[in-house]
Amino acid sequence: MRLGGIIGACSLVLALPASAQDAYRLGEIVVTAPRPGTDSTAVISAADLDARGARSLDEAFGTTPSLNMNVGGGGVPRLFMRGLPQRHVPLYLNGIPVNSAADGQFDPRLIPAENIAEIKVVPGVSSVLYGPGTTAGLINIVTRRGTSDRHGRAMTEITSGTPLGGDLGWLTSASAGGSIAQTDVFVSGSVADSPGFTGADGYRTPNSDTRRTNLFANVAHGWEDVSVGLSAGYVNGEQGLPYNSLNDPTNLFLMPQQFERLDHIEGGFAQGDVSFDTGGPFTARLSGYVNVLNTEDNRYDDATFSTMTNTRVQSFHQLFDSAVSGGRIALGYDLAGAGQIASTLSVQRDVLKLSGFIRNIPVTGGGGGGGGGGGGGGGATGTFAVRALDTEAASTTTSAALEYNVSPLETLHATFGASAHWFDRGAVTKDGTQLAARLAYEVTPDVTVSAGAARKVRFPTLQQMFDAQRGNATLSAEVGKAYEATVAWAPVDGAGLSLTGFRTRIDGFIQNDQTTQQFTNKDTLSRGIELAGHIAVNARLRLAASYTHLKTTDETTGARVNFRPTDLARIEANMDLTPAWSLHGTLAYDAGEIVTARSGPFQQQDLPDRTTVDVRTAYTFADLGLKVWLASENLFNAHHENAPGFAAPGRTFIAGIQASF
């Protein structure tokens, strides 16, 4: 299945975060550091998204270190943090999980930017209050809300792989918000349609088209001590998964050609929140949520995408219906000079239903491939028969967590946390504990040193345990041990520099066995350094940059892990040429990725390094409430591949207009 879900004291963003009045925070898990800048949270604001021209979550992260979007052979962006995949980076929307109940992942393109107030990125040693699975870190999206000044905006944008048009992609979105007395309301919606991307060679990549529709709304009402809120969202779409442009069975580094589409994607969520705060030392929050996603995943015989009758092709028609539901109670108590205590108690239910059929029963020759959940196949010899798919799996995870923040000295800050988790799937039960600690010391008013350590657990996903071909019900829970240390320097307002070293080892890391394709437990180690800085050169020019060097290895074999770059560099500049005219640019450099041969003797191949430059210029007609912009992604049309045989987008031109009131 292809779908789901400030380093030290140095902020990496180029604009101020959203104000508290502009963000919906009723469902957010509140993790309060004793002093600003003493944890590792990076905050990306709506203003940052606007400057970058971000249309969806995958375009949001700018210079945030150790984050990279890996668009593999399937064409779906997957987020990696410190060399670890999305399953180890839970995504929360207003505090509720949006990772898939099936495989623990999410497609960031399905999360539009128009309703985001801010994004909190917490790498490495994160709070235990969020629950299990945050081995690499976590991301929490805080949505916008209505404010006392009623406001709205509408925009439309077109994209093309050629400067004179051709087949155009487009995006249209609108949002509005306001409040009456103690009730505020925010609504938004967007529709996006792309015929696919054009490669650096000037040709459109087949089966790379995408379409999506998003709707979102929240309403909140406050009394003197109590606030209640309700959020809901809906997504509908479809997309092609680009196939390998090369068909050479003798090349062991090439994936076989597979003609696959997600012909229907539909989902939605609802969340209710109650917050109790008298202004005294005690606070309480109660949240309940449900998140559903239904996907139709089809693999066809050939590039006509019309039949599934060829007995030599392991085609399938798979219907995934997943649901995540649960509730959480969060309590906090301020001990004044003795610190703060926070605790959470939560229950989450994951359900996955799979129906349809798959052609993977060997009849003559060959040996069957994966399937029954998006597995392999497609490149085997021989003929195959069809079998029906009709399975259902469910699990319940119960968590209890306690965290304590204290500043024993004015310049010394500490956080300690512990949590317990119980995973229940009927006959299969597992449990695990998490521990986390962080210390920060302000050496001078400008320099802070901090260090943290954590023990984290992640339970297997339903797909990893119960997939018809690759599942393994005996999988153990992963146990991760993470360590990090940071030195941060902030000499003046608007400038900062930080250096972080990190090491994360996961015992029992779940991955496909190279030979059997069955999920199995192995050990993985990721370690590296992050250097990040930002500076406001003057009132008009702001710069930010980051560099990450990391290495991710399979500790069972000692080999490097596929598609993990060893070097990541990002540079971002934002310049106000005049009060109305702005210019934004980014440079991204990724190097050191490798890919392993699919069969035969063990061998690995280097992937070419890649450098891309994006630019955007915008002009605001303040009196008219209008803004127009022109942009180009991959300005110099650099050619690179996401995987052998899978070309990445070439130069793309963008033009847009927005009206605000």
Side-chain angles (χ1 to χ4, degrees), residues 29-30 47 94 103 142 144 155 164 288 375 408 414 443 445 447 491 505 521 553 605 618:
I29 296 176
V30 178
N94 292 332
D103 62 2
V142 181
R144 296 169 62 192
M155 65 83 73
L164 299 179
V443 181
V447 177
R505 178 186 171 93
N521 289 107
T553 55
Q605 174 180 287

Side-chain angles (χ1 to χ4, degrees), residues 63-297:
T63 58
T64 306
S66 285
L67 275 181
N68 68 295
M69 284 289 172
N70 188 328
V71 183
V76 178
R78 296 301 190 196
L79 185 145
F80 286 75
M81 181 180 286
R82 292 184 174 176
L84 298 175
Q86 277 185 180
R87 295 184 184 94
H88 302 81
V89 189
L91 176 68
Y92 300 88
L93 184 68
N94 292 332
I96 69 170
V98 297
N99 298 59
S100 167
D103 62 2
Q105 303 195 86
F106 56 88
D107 185 347
R109 296 175 302 179
L110 297 178
I111 302 174
E114 68 265 7
N115 58 4
I116 297 177
E118 69 179 34
I119 303 169
K120 292 186 176 181
V121 181
V122 186
V125 180
S126 57
S127 171
V128 298
L129 298 178
Y130 285 93
T134 61
T135 312
L138 62 95
I139 297 170
N140 184 51
I141 298 172
V142 181
T143 61
R144 296 169 62 192
R145 64 178 292 178
T147 58
S148 57
D149 56 330
R150 299 176 189 177
H151 58 277
R153 66 181 184 182
M155 65 83 73
T156 189
E157 184 177 82
I158 58 173
T159 60
S160 174
T162 62
L164 299 179
D167 293 334
L168 298 177
W170 55 272
L171 165 67
T172 298
S173 69
S175 63
S179 65
I180 300 176
Q182 300 300 312
T183 302
D184 59 67
V185 179
F186 176 81
V187 296
S188 68
S190 62
V191 179
D193 189 303
S194 170
F197 63 83
T198 301
D201 58 4
Y203 293 95
R204 187 170 303 283
T205 299
N207 204 41
S208 61
D209 58 293
T210 62
R211 278 164 286 281
R212 67 165 172 86
T213 298
N214 291 86
L215 299 173
F216 174 81
N218 65 41
V219 59
H221 182 84
W223 291 274
E224 183 176 352
D225 300 330
V226 179
S227 298
V228 297
L230 177 66
S231 299
Y234 171 79
V235 62
N236 184 293
E238 64 175 297
Q239 63 189 55
L241 305 180
Y243 54 87
N244 200 321
S245 62
L246 304 175
N247 187 19
D248 181 4
T250 66
N251 188 333
L252 300 180
F253 294 98
L254 290 177
M255 293 176 59
Q257 284 190 326
Q258 297 173 348
F259 306 99
E260 189 174 351
R261 292 188 59 82
L262 302 179
D263 284 316
H264 184 68
I265 304 165
E266 187 171 20
F269 80 92
Q271 174 184 6
D273 305 291
V274 179
S275 175
F276 176 77
D277 187 352
T278 63
F282 176 75
T283 60
R285 295 188 182 200
L286 174 65
S287 298
Y289 59 87
V290 60
N291 178 10
V292 298
L293 182 65
N294 304 320
T295 305
E296 179 185 345
D297 189 356

